[in-house]
Amino acid sequence: MFLTNSGCIFTFFMIIQACVTGKSGTTYKQNPQEISLNDIYRPQYVSNHKKSNKIKRKPNCLKAYNSIVRPLKTLAFHLEKNKTDKIDRKLKALIQIEKSQCENQPHLSKSQRQLAKNFDQHSRKIGIVLPLSDPDYQHSRSILKGLVTVLNSGSDKSSRPYVIKDSGGGRKQTLSGLADLLLNHKVGMIIGGVNELDAKLLTSWAAKLAVPLFLLNKDDKYVDESRFVFQVFPRAKLLGQTLAYASLKNSYSNVAILRPHSGKSDRQIDGFKEFMKNRGGNIIHEISYRENEYESMDQAIRKLFELDDETRKGELVQLQRLALQEAKARGSQELKTPILPPRISFDAVFIPDHFRAVRHFVRIFRFHGASKIPLLGNHEWRSKDLVFPKEPFLNGSMFVDFVGDYQNTPTKLEIKPLKTSSLLVDPEQVVDYDYRLIGYFVGKLAKDVVMTHTGKRRQLASLLEVSPSAFLKYQPVSAFSQDRKSHWPAYIFKVDSNQIILDQKIDSIESY
Amino acid sequence: MMLMLAVVAWLSALGVFNSHENVLKSLLSWQLPENTVVFDRDGKRLGELYRKDHMYYSIDRIPKFLKQSVIAIEDRSFLEHKGFDLKAIVRASLVELSIIDSKYRQGGSTITQQVIRHFLLGKEKSLHRKVQEIGLAYELEKLTEKDKILEIYLNTMYLGNGAYGVGAAAKRYFARPLDRLLPHEHAVIAGLFQSPSRFNPVRHPTRAKKRQLQVLAALETSNVITHDEFEKLKQAKLRYRRFRNVKSLRAPYFVDYVQMQAAKILGTTLDQLRVKGLKIYTTLDLKMQRRAKKAFRASSVFLKAERRAESIVKEGVEEKPDVEGALLTIDSKTGEILTMIGGRNYGRSQFNRATQALRSPGSAFKPIVFAAALSKGRKWSDVSYVSPISVGDHYRPRNVGSVSLTETTLLRAFYKSLNTVTVELAEKVGLEYVLRMAAKFGVRSHLKKELGTAIGGSDVNLLDLARVYSVFANQGVLTDLYAIEKIVGPTGRVIFQAKPKIKRSKRVLDEELNFLMVQGMRDVLRHGTGFDQRKLAKWVAGKTGTSDKAVDNWFCGFSDNLTTIVWVGTDQHTPISGHSNGAVLALPLWSDFMSNEIKLKAPKEFEVPAGVVEFKIDPRFGTKSPTGVSMWFLRNNPPSSRVSGLERVNRLGSFRNVFD
């Protein structure tokens, strides 16, 4: 009840209010303190706004025109010609307001205000914008599968609660689709932004028109653009933090990191380091290597084990002497090559790379004389090939992932775990499954928010603050962290007796 | 009187009046040592074994003219005297003292005396020896007939050039049997008795001619020939042939090997074996041997290897060592040794590299390791990671070309000959097990109990490898190698017969497992180190082998019925630089020889046993793939339906790239 009430207060009138106070939707970016993410999630924030809304001032006509009508005109311009007629009468009337009308009236008329309010009404449908026809984003089809699986469930086929737009044709197509979703279908929320172009466009329009956007982009920078933007993609940094949490729990407080040169794991590493730093852990080494280059990987391990360290020259000379003595004792002239033992000054090594690199690293570790080192890894470790053929060195190692047991995934997603382990799937399918699951969870969240709440579109954004009860059992305590970034749960897996086992699900690392 | 008594006493002291009947009888019963002859599988002579080259001719088979010539020049009164010829002694003494001159020098010793001296007294010259000689000659003449004495004389006296007796001399100087020589040639041989080396017709033809004329003159003097005949024989042209033992022409290394084997079988020494007059029938296929030799001589690999061979310093001088080679072919079904080449030049070196040299087999040993692994349940599709490895404290085997950071199936590791995978496999399967397997396969050389053996760290010989590879060619059955089919004694009695095949055969590997290995070795040619000869892969299978720095270069392979092992290297174990390896230095030679044999023998494809199945498998990742290579599996141990993330990572460069 509280949610509903507070939501009602936080309406599209915010736009109007912004016009009144001289602060448009985009001014939010310039003054984040005013409507910060934390504020959104704080109940007192709602109450604060409750107070501010009580200030009754008529909206300035010109400002309202610039912040509402003009963007709508622009959006309508992108509509395909055959779809312009479908815009409802009231919205048409709002779009048809001309700037010149403000010359005669300093404030919006009552009817005009009514028209503006009407735009914020949504149809309880969800707009999906995905680059489906772009061959570079094949996985958007997997996301769509997850989305439609959940959105179709329990609904009549004839009244599908979502509208799909393909953004694969570029900017024009994205805008055209977005215009159709907002002007004709009046969707309550947009899901999309897989690629950078979509993410930018959708973020921009979500901010302009106060439309909640579930952004499916792995980059979480867009949430800073608008409080209507929610990053719903699993977060690499969070996984890194969770792994650091698990590492510390296992008393691996001195950790070395092998960093892939491509930078693909930088966010995870950053999260890992940040957490370790804040919680008293130490990063002993951080060594970069070029993936798929043996020499580079070998050099990284030599550095890690301090095999070429100048300070070890004396040690090497000593070994050479011993070899000489031994050869003399054997009566042989053949000297055994002295090999420096590895110097291991850390508790574990974090290798945020795929299992193949891990397997090769293990062999290089062993080549340089290390028989056992606990290793830490990421979601790319999760393959049968990590432990097959058997690799005893890995026993006791652990890695983090954002997907738990595949056995527990919704059957309609048609995710098939391997017969030999419900924790593993066909490697050719794994990415498809990842995106299906992402699509499914995002769809579930969107459905719970949009379809169960009538009224103003703007209102929906505030619902997300406290909607975790709507989520599936796979969902964390809260769907988003305070900065509107997804709050996926993380799972810690361990390698034990040459098998991958699910060690624990970590919903929150805050309690550590 | 006193003088007479003194002479009698002296003669008595010399034993002149003693009976020497027993000694002389033993002389007469003396059998001419007969050469042992070696034959190929079709009964063609391969060579003769002897201590002294004798060819026995009974007196009636010796041409009359030769006998007359010898008597005329050596002992004109042979048919008349009683063992010694006083006149001749006096004449010889006078000639010796230059009191009289003679057209031709004739010694004072009769033929009988020479026989006595040759067999009983030796060459010491002293008065009392001469007296003894005369006494014994006299006694011998009493015991036997002139013909017998002459027969012994003609068959036993050394006539130069390694020939003992007139038969051997005819063979060695004229390359013809004695009965096919012409009179003027008989005269040459007759002239040799006095001083075989001085009158050696091959070395000193002018002296020999001069001596021939002396013989002819003696014949004329003895009225054996007329002057016209003398002139005619004098004019007759002499054509000598340089003697080359048949053994050194055809299969010298094989004959050497056979005599050692025969001595072993009969429990005798080589010297004894050579004079037993045995007929050794062997398994060698002379025609194939010739083809092998031709391929060997024509092959360019030696030239290539010689250019690349690293120099050695010998007595302060840097020189290139001779590049040597060896080739051995056996019938895989029967174990018969069909060809054997133990080196490039028997004249230069008689060291048999096919049987005596112990060399590192390099990767040619690997089939044993992989067979052991397959027999322990491993599959060709099993995946391994490839990178440098460290075994124990100091053993760090390398892959040729520093292959690392990749993955491979066992099959690919096999046909690409990856050392690290093989060593790890041997470690996992168990070195003891691998060594036991090697022994079962017929490796008899000592193998070191260290993992390096898995990649050729223990030296073996060609026979070891021939046994190993013949097992694969023979559906997993080892049929022991042999070279001697039978040995026939001088009387015609068979004194040794090789055991029948069934008694020499034992199963080493299941037929199905063996088939998997055969297919693996076909893949060496289809996809692996033997790719240059892939055209042969339909009919043959095999494995390259290269020891460190290409010191030893091998190709060991087989068709359905022939197993051939080829080795190329130097006796000094020196490196051969450049891109040298078994595929470059041994396989071309192997291919030259075997491709010809395949054409001639029309081999069959390898039979597919019932208990195996074929799948197309990705050679790196072990997953079923329509574009993969054919891999064979036991029907009860098929490839797992495992899907591989490795393949995906390899293709896309990432695995779950949701955050990339």
Side-chain angles (χ1 to χ4, degrees):
Chain A
M1 195 60 197
F2 167 79
L3 289 173
T4 313
N5 291 341
S6 60
C8 291
I9 295 161
F10 196 73
T11 64
F12 179 66
F13 284 104
M14 281 299 291
I15 297 175
I16 307 302
Q17 187 235 353
C19 297
V20 169
T21 56
K23 290 173 182 170
S24 68
T26 50
T27 56
Y28 158 74
K29 188 184 174 186
Q30 293 156 353
N31 190 4
Q33 284 81 9
E34 190 188 343
I35 316 171
S36 74
L37 175 74
N38 292 345
D39 293 338
I40 291 171
Y41 290 143
R42 271 186 219 130
Q44 62 268 32
Y45 168 81
V46 177
S47 58
N48 287 345
H49 278 271
K50 214 172 183 180
K51 283 175 193 168
S52 65
N53 284 338
K54 283 177 183 173
I55 305 162
K56 296 204 173 181
R57 291 176 65 181
K58 286 182 181 178
N60 178 294
C61 178
L62 197 59
K63 285 183 178 172
Y65 174 83
N66 284 335
S67 60
I68 306 165
V69 181
R70 207 160 140 186
L72 282 174
K73 276 179 186 287
T74 311
L75 195 59
F77 174 77
H78 290 288
L79 261 184
E80 285 176 30
K81 280 182 184 172
N82 57 351
K83 291 188 175 169
T84 49
D85 299 338
K86 292 177 184 171
I87 302 175
D88 73 18
R89 187 180 49 80
K90 287 180 183 173
L91 191 55
K92 237 178 207 168
L94 180 65
I95 293 167
Q96 281 167 356
I97 294 173
E98 294 299 330
K99 191 178 178 182
S100 58
Q101 290 175 307
C102 288
E103 288 172 7
N104 305 325
Q105 52 174 88
H107 305 290
L108 289 178
S109 68
K110 194 179 174 183
S111 61
Q112 283 172 334
R113 287 206 301 273
Q114 199 54 48
L115 288 175
K117 278 184 195 175
N118 177 259
F119 170 68
D120 201 34
Q121 294 290 333
H122 68 88
S123 63
R124 296 174 69 187
K125 283 191 176 183
I126 295 162
I128 299 168
V129 182
L130 293 170
L132 298 170
S133 58
D134 187 339
D136 290 341
Y137 291 92
Q138 298 261 337
H139 58 261
S140 56
R141 294 189 170 276
S142 307
I143 294 174
L144 184 65
K145 183 174 173 71
L147 284 169
V148 298
T149 300
V150 69
L151 295 178
N152 280 335
S153 63
S155 62
D156 184 0
K157 273 188 182 173
S158 59
S159 58
R160 289 195 307 183
Y162 55 90
V163 183
I164 303 165
K165 292 292 170 190
D166 177 15
S167 59
R171 179 186 173 86
K172 198 176 165 187
Q173 194 179 354
T174 306
L175 285 172
S176 160
L178 182 66
D180 193 36
L181 291 175
L182 292 176
L183 303 179
N184 289 332
H185 296 285
K186 301 183 86 174
V187 296
M189 172 186 281
I190 302 288
I191 298 173
V194 165
N195 56 20
E196 200 178 346
L197 177 67
D198 281 7
K200 276 183 185 168
L201 283 173
L202 297 179
T203 300
S204 159
W205 284 98
K208 281 178 191 169
L209 299 174
V211 178
L213 168 65
F214 275 6
L215 195 67
L216 282 165
N217 199 286
K218 51 200 85 174
D219 201 331
D220 54 18
K221 67 186 178 190
Y222 299 98
V223 294
D224 298 334
E225 303 282 322
S226 165
R227 61 187 171 80
F228 293 99
V229 178
F230 295 83
Q231 202 262 358
V232 288
F233 206 80
R235 282 193 301 132
K237 191 172 179 180
L238 186 64
L239 289 177
Q241 289 168 336
T242 310
L243 184 69
Y245 164 78
S247 172
L248 289 171
K249 274 190 81 174
N250 277 275
S251 306
Y252 302 148
S253 52
N254 297 312
V255 178
I257 299 172
L258 293 171
R259 178 191 281 272
H261 183 73
S262 66
K264 67 174 182 176
S265 304
D266 284 359
R267 289 192 197 102
Q268 285 182 350
I269 292 171
D270 290 348
F272 186 88
K273 283 164 64 180
E274 192 179 294
F275 195 91
M276 290 293 276
K277 191 180 166 191
N278 293 339
R279 306 299 169 102
N282 299 305
I283 304 300
I284 304 297
H285 292 286
E286 188 179 347
I287 303 164
S288 176
Y289 66 92
R290 285 186 300 279
E291 294 111 300
N292 302 319
E293 283 185 30
Y294 172 77
E295 282 304 322
S296 175
M297 291 167 78
D298 187 55
Q299 280 306 314
I301 302 303
R302 293 189 71 82
K303 272 187 202 167
L304 187 73
F305 290 162
E306 300 172 28
L307 296 176
D308 301 320
D309 199 307
E310 290 289 314
T311 60
R312 301 192 71 184
K313 274 191 175 168
E315 209 178 323
L316 191 64
V317 169
Q318 184 62 26
L319 284 171
Q320 276 165 341
R321 274 196 205 120
L322 281 173
L324 197 66
Q325 282 169 7
E326 198 197 9
K328 272 185 187 169
R330 279 203 321 267
S332 163
Q333 291 193 334
E334 204 176 312
L335 275 187
K336 287 183 178 175
T337 319
I339 296 168
L340 267 182
R343 185 182 276 173
I344 299 173
S345 52
F346 40 82
D347 303 323
V349 181
F350 178 29
I351 310 175
D353 201 347
H354 49 63
F355 62 88
R356 177 182 182 264
V358 176
R359 290 295 305 247
H360 282 291
F361 268 127
V362 165
R363 294 173 66 83
I364 303 171
F365 286 146
R366 210 186 276 122
F367 179 74
H368 289 296
S371 56
K372 189 74 192 163
I373 300 170
L375 302 180
L376 309 173
N378 66 0
H379 61 290
E380 288 205 86
W381 280 35
R382 193 167 171 182
S383 166
K384 190 172 181 181
D385 298 272
L386 181 73
V387 288
F388 186 86
K390 288 178 185 173
E391 180 48 86
F393 192 102
L394 286 167
N395 288 334
S397 295
M398 59 182 171
F399 63 90
V400 66
D401 194 8
F402 58 93
V403 179
D405 193 334
Y406 289 104
Q407 198 87 61
N408 299 331
T409 53
T411 50
K412 285 185 178 173
L413 281 181
E414 296 172 340
I415 289 173
K416 292 174 190 160
L418 294 184
K419 283 177 188 166
T420 48
S421 169
S422 65
L423 299 178
L424 299 168
V425 292
D426 181 342
E428 284 302 320
Q429 300 287 328
V430 68
V431 175
D432 178 33
Y433 290 167
D434 283 344
Y435 283 110
R436 279 190 210 181
L437 284 166
I438 291 167
Y440 188 89
F441 296 139
V442 171
K444 178 72 181 163
L445 182 58
K447 187 179 179 181
D448 286 353
V449 172
V450 175
M451 294 178 67
T452 55
H453 295 88
T454 56
K456 308 292 183 273
R457 192 188 282 136
R458 173 183 294 264
Q459 195 180 3
L460 299 177
S462 62
L463 281 174
L464 292 164
E465 179 191 10
V466 282
S467 60
S469 60
F471 297 162
L472 296 175
K473 55 187 167 185
Y474 319 108
Q475 290 295 341
V477 175
S478 56
F480 299 99
S481 60
Q482 291 185 345
D483 51 2
R484 296 184 312 287
K485 291 172 184 174
S486 65
H487 203 166
W488 280 72
Y491 300 84
I492 297 294
F493 293 83
K494 277 194 171 171
V495 180
D496 185 26
S497 307
N498 296 300
Q499 298 239 315
I500 293 172
I501 55 165
L502 178 52
D503 187 52
Q504 58 178 320
K505 176 188 175 194
I506 298 178
D507 291 325
S508 169
I509 53 176
E510 299 303 318
S511 59
Y512 178 75
Chain B
M1 187 66 186
M2 285 296 283
L3 180 67
M4 282 255 310
L5 282 171
V7 170
V8 169
W10 176 63
L11 292 172
S12 179
L14 287 174
V16 171
F17 305 117
N18 296 348
S19 172
H20 297 94
E21 195 175 331
N22 289 341
V23 178
L24 294 172
K25 273 185 180 170
S26 72
L27 186 154
L28 292 172
S29 64
W30 178 80
Q31 291 283 310
L32 186 67
E34 268 195 84
N35 295 352
T36 290
V37 185
V38 181
F39 299 93
D40 84 337
R41 62 193 297 115
D42 298 321
K44 285 179 194 146
R45 287 165 76 97
L46 288 176
E48 285 182 35
L49 311 176
Y50 43 77
R51 193 159 52 204
K52 293 173 179 174
D53 190 6
H54 289 285
M55 286 187 81
Y56 177 73
Y57 278 81
S58 59
I59 192 70
D60 48 320
R61 284 179 60 219
I62 297 172
K64 189 181 172 189
F65 191 77
L66 177 61
K67 288 187 268 188
Q68 289 172 325
S69 303
V70 172
I71 290 170
I73 192 74
E74 288 293 326
D75 186 3
R76 218 180 308 157
S77 58
F78 174 69
L79 297 174
E80 288 93 41
H81 63 63
K82 303 279 184 192
F84 62 95
D85 183 353
L86 267 177
K87 275 188 210 168
I89 294 169
V90 172
R91 187 179 60 236
S93 304
L94 294 176
V95 170
E96 193 69 31
L97 295 168
S98 303
I99 296 170
I100 61 164
D101 195 14
S102 177
K103 264 205 293 187
Y104 45 87
R105 290 170 81 94
Q106 193 177 34
S109 298
T110 63
I111 285 173
T112 316
Q113 281 175 283
Q114 287 183 53
V115 168
I116 291 293
R117 199 188 310 147
H118 179 73
F119 282 96
L120 301 175
L121 297 179
K123 289 183 178 175
E124 190 193 330
K125 284 184 178 176
S126 64
L127 184 58
H128 73 271
R129 258 299 154 90
K130 199 72 183 170
V131 174
Q132 272 185 326
E133 185 184 298
I134 292 167
L136 288 167
Y138 176 76
E139 218 172 321
L140 181 65
E141 292 263 352
K142 280 202 294 183
L143 276 174
T144 189
E145 293 169 359
K146 291 276 181 190
D147 270 1
K148 183 65 183 172
I149 295 167
L150 188 60
E151 182 187 90
I152 293 171
Y153 183 71
L154 292 175
N155 273 298
T156 58
M157 300 310 282
Y158 181 60
L159 299 177
N161 213 21
Y164 288 80
V166 290
K171 179 178 71 180
R172 288 188 173 234
Y173 292 122
F174 297 104
R176 272 177 286 150
L178 190 60
D179 46 10
R180 285 178 56 199
L181 295 192
L182 297 170
H184 68 290
E185 292 165 335
H186 290 151
V188 172
I189 289 177
L192 292 168
F193 284 83
Q194 192 187 67
S195 180
S197 55
R198 191 159 175 245
F199 299 125
N200 183 326
V202 176
R203 286 190 193 159
H204 311 291
T206 316
R207 284 188 205 161
K209 181 68 190 172
K210 207 172 164 188
R211 180 64 178 167
Q212 181 214 27
L213 293 180
Q214 287 176 350
V215 173
L216 293 174
L219 282 164
E220 190 187 352
T221 309
S222 306
N223 297 320
V224 177
I225 55 171
T226 62
H227 186 70
D228 288 349
E229 284 168 331
F230 171 83
E231 286 301 324
K232 205 174 166 188
L233 290 171
K234 186 182 163 186
Q235 300 303 323
K237 256 197 162 180
L238 285 166
R239 279 198 189 126
Y240 306 115
R241 293 275 179 85
R242 184 173 288 275
F243 173 73
R244 293 183 74 183
N245 192 346
V246 66
K247 176 188 141 191
S248 65
L249 291 175
R250 291 176 176 167
Y253 294 103
F254 179 74
V255 172
D256 283 354
Y257 174 68
V258 161
Q259 61 176 313
M260 281 191 274
Q261 290 297 302
K264 209 168 153 189
I265 289 167
L266 301 177
T268 173
T269 64
L270 287 181
D271 262 2
Q272 287 167 342
L273 180 88
R274 287 167 186 156
V275 296
K276 280 196 173 197
L278 305 173
K279 288 185 171 61
I280 304 177
Y281 293 90
T282 70
T283 57
L284 190 103
D285 181 335
L286 193 53
K287 285 180 190 163
M288 191 188 283
Q289 173 78 12
R290 282 187 182 132
R291 292 193 294 270
K293 218 165 178 178
K294 199 174 162 190
F296 209 79
R297 281 188 179 152
S299 180
S300 61
V301 296
F302 294 111
L303 191 64
K304 207 184 286 177
E306 266 160 8
R307 280 186 194 143
R308 295 175 181 184
E310 288 184 14
S311 300
I312 50 170
V313 179
K314 206 172 174 184
E315 292 164 4
V317 182
E318 202 174 83
E319 62 179 38
K320 290 243 178 192
D322 291 326
V323 173
E324 278 294 349
L327 182 150
L328 180 69
T329 302
I330 62 161
D331 184 319
S332 315
K333 309 271 183 243
T334 61
E336 293 165 334
I337 294 175
L338 300 175
T339 68
M340 182 186 283
I341 299 175
R344 290 176 71 192
N345 186 340
Y346 185 76
R348 188 174 66 193
S349 163
Q350 290 80 48
F351 180 64
N352 190 343
R353 291 152 197 90
T355 60
Q356 294 172 305
L358 282 171
R359 310 291 306 213
S360 163
S363 300
F365 190 85
K366 286 176 183 168
I368 295 171
V369 180
F370 281 80
L374 292 182
S375 73
K376 282 263 189 180
R378 301 296 294 264
K379 289 178 277 195
W380 279 132
S381 61
D382 287 354
V383 173
S384 289
Y385 290 84
V386 185
S387 56
I389 57 166
S390 179
V391 184
D393 286 345
H394 294 273
Y395 183 45
R396 291 181 163 187
R398 289 179 302 120
N399 288 319
V400 176
S402 302
V403 177
S404 58
L405 200 70
T406 185
E407 301 77 35
T408 181
T409 53
L410 285 194
L411 181 68
R412 184 168 171 272
F414 179 68
Y415 65 63
K416 292 269 183 194
S417 210
L418 299 179
N419 288 339
T420 55
V421 178
T422 311
V423 170
E424 285 178 309
L425 198 61
E427 195 178 21
K428 283 173 189 165
V429 167
L431 181 62
E432 287 284 341
Y433 185 71
V434 171
L435 298 182
R436 278 204 305 277
M437 188 64 105
K440 276 171 76 180
F441 267 87
V443 176
R444 292 179 188 163
S445 301
H446 171 71
L447 298 177
K448 291 181 259 181
K449 283 186 185 170
E450 51 191 53
L451 279 167
T453 295
I455 52 172
S458 294
D459 293 349
V460 297
N461 63 25
L462 264 73
L463 295 170
D464 288 321
L465 291 178
R467 279 186 215 101
V468 171
Y469 283 81
S470 70
V471 169
F472 296 124
N474 194 26
Q475 285 93 40
V477 175
L478 171 67
T479 303
D480 204 9
L481 309 189
Y482 73 108
I484 300 173
E485 193 66 62
K486 67 177 176 184
I487 301 174
V488 178
T491 58
R493 189 172 66 88
V494 175
I495 56 176
F496 168 79
Q497 178 81 50
K499 282 181 195 168
K501 183 183 155 190
I502 196 153
K503 287 194 176 172
R504 287 181 291 105
S505 302
K506 62 179 176 192
R507 179 160 290 285
V508 172
L509 206 59
D510 289 344
E511 195 179 350
E512 289 80 7
L513 277 177
N514 188 74
F515 182 78
L516 304 192
M517 285 303 303
V518 170
Q519 292 304 314
M521 281 186 267
R522 284 181 71 193
D523 286 334
V524 169
L525 294 159
R526 281 190 291 221
H527 313 291
T529 50
F531 187 69
D532 284 351
Q533 300 297 335
R534 57 194 173 280
K535 61 180 189 285
L536 295 176
K538 188 175 181 185
W539 311 108
V540 303
K543 183 76 189 75
T544 52
T546 312
S547 67
D548 200 23
K549 296 181 183 170
V551 168
D552 300 284
N553 302 277
W554 302 83
F555 192 81
C556 310
F558 51 89
S559 64
D560 71 313
N561 56 4
L562 296 179
T563 298
T564 296
I565 312 294
V566 168
W567 168 85
V568 174
T570 66
D571 289 344
Q572 295 80 7
H573 294 251
T574 50
I576 299 177
S577 55
H579 294 291
S580 301
N581 52 47
V584 175
L585 297 182
L587 177 57
L589 170 55
W590 188 94
S591 165
D592 289 347
F593 170 64
M594 281 296 277
S595 51
N596 193 29
E597 294 307 310
I598 287 166
K599 275 182 215 159
L600 293 170
K601 297 236 170 187
K604 295 177 214 151
E605 283 188 56
F606 299 103
E607 277 178 36
V608 185
V612 296
V613 280
E614 184 185 18
F615 290 95
K616 289 270 184 194
I617 302 285
D618 186 304
R620 264 184 74 181
F621 309 115
T623 51
K624 288 178 188 168
S625 161
T627 56
V629 301
S630 277
M631 283 193 202
W632 289 83
F633 298 85
L634 298 182
R635 200 174 283 281
N636 58 11
N637 192 16
S640 59
S641 52
R642 197 181 77 83
V643 282
S644 172
L646 283 169
E647 196 276 330
R648 183 182 172 85
V649 173
N650 180 60
R651 184 164 26 93
L652 303 175
S654 64
F655 182 51
R656 287 171 70 195
N657 53 341
V658 285
F659 300 123
D660 292 6

